[in-house]
Structure formats: C-alpha cells, structure tokens
C-alpha cells in the first residue's frame, strides 16, 4: 500500500486520447438524434397536415373553411379536456400533500418577527380606528383614602427630631414618655 498504488496506471496522453474519442462518439450520437428528430417532425407534418390545394370556386372555398373550422373545434375540445385533466391532477396532488402534512403533524410555521408596537397602537390595530382606546391605567383606578395609623400620627406630630430629643431629655421627658404609654 505504497504511494505507487494510489497513482493512476493510465498515462496522461492515453487519458486525453480516450477523452477525445468519447467526445467524438457523443458528438456523432447528438447529430444522429437531431437528424432523427427532424425526420420524425417531417413525417408527422406530412401525415397530419396535407398540402393545401386552393380551390378556384367560391363553393369549394366555403367547404374548405367549414372543414378547417371543424378541425379547429376538435382541437379546442382536446385542449380543453387536457387542461381539465391537468387541473384535476394538480388539485389532487395538492390535497395529497396537505394530507401528508396533516398526518405527519408538522406544519410550516412562518418565522415570526418582533414588532415594536405600543399597547395603544396594538389595540387600535385589533379593534379598528372606530374605537377610541385609552391605555392610561391610572385613570381607571379608584381613589382610595389612606387611613392614618397611630404611628404615622406620632411621626407627623414629632416634626423635627431635634425638638423631640430635647423634650425627652431629663426627668421631665421620661415622665412624659411614661404618661403617654399608659
């Protein structure tokens, strides 16, 4: 398993010669297919489109027009039938694809984008422009009076803390504290 085994055993000149031979064979095949297609087209046109012979009288010309109209009608009917078949088959394919997705339980979900929108704008978009929506939540709240507790009254009555300390200093302050507690 040395390096010599990995190398190709065909020389570069031999590869180029084989490549050119393959290209010549392919070119000949393509030319033959093109000639076959041209011959097939000519045969089809000769079979389905006979050469026109223009009539000299008015009556023969009218008969030719009637024949052409009847052929056109037949071709239109065939075209319409084919269109209907194609439409039915495409609808059937779409229905089967939908059933496959339903059975798998996987649905294509579009990627969602974050949208910056205020609450007012979102409600206006949902409810329409007729509804006037106000998102001031504080406007809808009840006004509630806050009852003062005893501690808050004491704190309000105390006022400045320096005066409070001066009043409680000494024997008179302690006497007042004792009287207010009882």
């Amino acid at each position: 398993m040395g390096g010599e085994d990995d190398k190709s055993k065909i020389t570069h000149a031999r590869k180029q010669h084989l490549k050119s031979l393959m290209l010549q064979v392919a070119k000949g095949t393509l030319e033959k297919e093109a000639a076959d297609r041209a011959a097939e087209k000519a045969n089809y046109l000769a079979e389905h489109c006979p050469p026109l012979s223009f009539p000299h009288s008015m009556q023969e010309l009218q008969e030719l027009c009637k024949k052409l109209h009847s052929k056109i009608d037949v071709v239109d009917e065939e075209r319409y039938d084919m269109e209907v078949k194609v439409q039915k088959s495409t609808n059937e394919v779409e229905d089967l694809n939908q059933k496959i997705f339903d059975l798998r339980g996987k649905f294509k979900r579009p990627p969602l984008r974050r949208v910056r929108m205020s609450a007012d704008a979102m409600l206006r978009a949902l409810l329409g422009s007729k509804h006037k929506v106000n998102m001031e939540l504080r406007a809808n709240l009840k006004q509630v009076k806050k009852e003062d507790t005893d501690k808050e009254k004491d704190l309000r009555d105390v006022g400045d803390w320096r005066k409070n300390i001066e009043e409680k200093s000494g024997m008179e302050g302690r006497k007042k504290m004792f009287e207010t507690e009882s």
Side-chain angles (χ1 to χ4, degrees), residues 32 49 86 98 173:
K32 184 180 176 186
C49 299
V86 168
Q98 186 64 38

Side-chain angles (χ1 to χ4, degrees), residues 13 80 98 114 163 165 170 173 175 178:
Y80 177 76
Q98 186 64 38
R114 171 163 265 156
K163 291 180 184 176
I165 290 178
K175 186 179 177 185
F178 185 76

Side-chain angles (χ1 to χ4, degrees), residues 20-140:
S20 65
L21 287 175
M22 287 174 50
L23 287 174
Q24 286 176 356
V25 169
K27 183 179 178 184
T29 307
L30 286 175
E31 289 174 354
K32 184 180 176 186
E33 286 177 2
D36 289 344
R37 266 190 252 124
E40 186 178 331
K41 182 178 178 182
N43 289 339
Y44 181 84
L45 288 176
E47 182 182 323
H48 291 291
C49 299
L52 284 177
S53 59
F54 292 108
H56 298 296
S57 69
M58 184 66 122
Q59 189 176 8
E60 292 175 357
L61 192 60
Q62 287 177 346
E63 288 177 21
L64 178 67
C65 287
K66 288 179 183 178
K67 286 180 185 177
L68 290 176
H69 279 290
S70 64
K71 286 184 179 181
I72 289 173
D73 289 340
V74 170
V75 170
D76 280 343
E77 288 175 4
E78 289 177 5
R79 182 183 53 86
Y80 177 76
D81 291 342
M82 295 297 260
E83 285 178 359
V84 169
K85 284 181 184 178
V86 168
Q87 187 66 32
K88 282 182 181 180
S89 61
T90 54
N91 288 339
E92 186 177 340
V93 167
E94 289 174 3
D95 291 342
L96 291 174
N97 282 336
Q98 186 64 38
K99 285 182 183 179
I100 289 170
F101 281 123
D102 290 346
L103 291 175
R104 282 187 190 164
K106 294 180 182 178
F107 299 99
K108 288 184 181 178
R109 293 189 178 116
L112 299 177
R113 293 180 285 138
R114 171 163 265 156
V115 178
R116 292 190 176 260
M117 185 183 281
S118 67
D120 288 331
M122 195 175 300
L123 285 174
R124 261 188 251 117
L126 290 173
L127 300 176
S129 60
K130 295 178 183 175
H131 302 285
K132 192 169 188 179
V133 179
N134 192 0
M135 278 303 294
E136 292 181 29
L137 298 175
R138 292 183 183 179
N140 297 332

Side-chain angles (χ1 to χ4, degrees), residues 153-168:
K153 285 182 184 177
D154 289 342
L155 289 175
R156 232 180 305 129
D157 293 339
V158 167
D160 191 17
W161 61 275
R162 289 183 211 106
K163 291 180 184 176
N164 193 16
I165 290 178
E166 289 175 5
E167 288 176 4
K168 290 185 179 180

Side-chain angles (χ1 to χ4, degrees), residues 8-27:
S8 178
K9 295 183 180 182
I10 301 175
T11 64
H12 182 68
R14 179 75 175 150
K15 279 185 185 179
Q16 290 298 324
H17 179 67
L18 290 174
K19 190 175 183 181
S20 65
L21 287 175
M22 287 174 50
L23 287 174
Q24 286 176 356
V25 169
K27 183 179 178 184

